[in-house]
Amino acid sequence: MTILYLLIPLSLILLGLAVWAFFWAVKNDQFDDLEGPAHRILFDEDENDFTPEQRRQRQQAKKQPTATPEANTHSDQEPLP
């Protein structure tokens, strides 16, 4: 029975820490975008998936930010960023 004198304050301290951690995370935008990383992993492009020609085109497109997206597309592919 005397252990309750230790466990009750300890549980209240742990509860207070959990509440503080939750509000800290909300304040620091830890819950800002919950779906973005889940969708981003599905559409991650790996450079090894491209042909050498496509890699060259992507590198040129990164060097020339004024180029239009239509110049970097093929008829069967989506526009490159």
Side-chain angles (χ1 to χ4, degrees):
M1 185 72 177
T2 58
I3 193 69
L4 289 178
Y5 294 125
L6 175 66
L7 292 178
I8 289 175
L10 185 62
S11 65
L12 291 175
I13 290 170
L14 288 176
L15 176 66
L17 286 173
V19 168
W20 173 82
F22 174 74
F23 282 110
W24 175 85
V26 169
K27 186 177 96 172
N28 289 312
D29 296 328
Q30 297 295 315
F31 300 115
D32 192 33
D33 183 15
L34 296 176
E35 294 180 10
H39 293 288
R40 196 175 309 124
I41 190 95
L42 295 174
F43 300 107
D44 192 11
E45 295 179 354
D46 189 11
E47 288 292 324
N48 295 328
D49 294 340
F50 296 120
T51 64
E53 176 64 26
Q54 290 173 330
R55 281 189 220 132
R56 271 188 247 109
Q57 288 178 351
R58 286 177 59 92
Q59 289 174 352
Q60 289 174 355
K62 288 178 184 177
K63 291 178 184 176
Q64 300 172 352
T66 58
T68 60
E70 291 81 21
N72 296 327
T73 61
H74 295 286
S75 60
D76 59 339
Q77 294 179 345
E78 294 182 12
L80 298 174

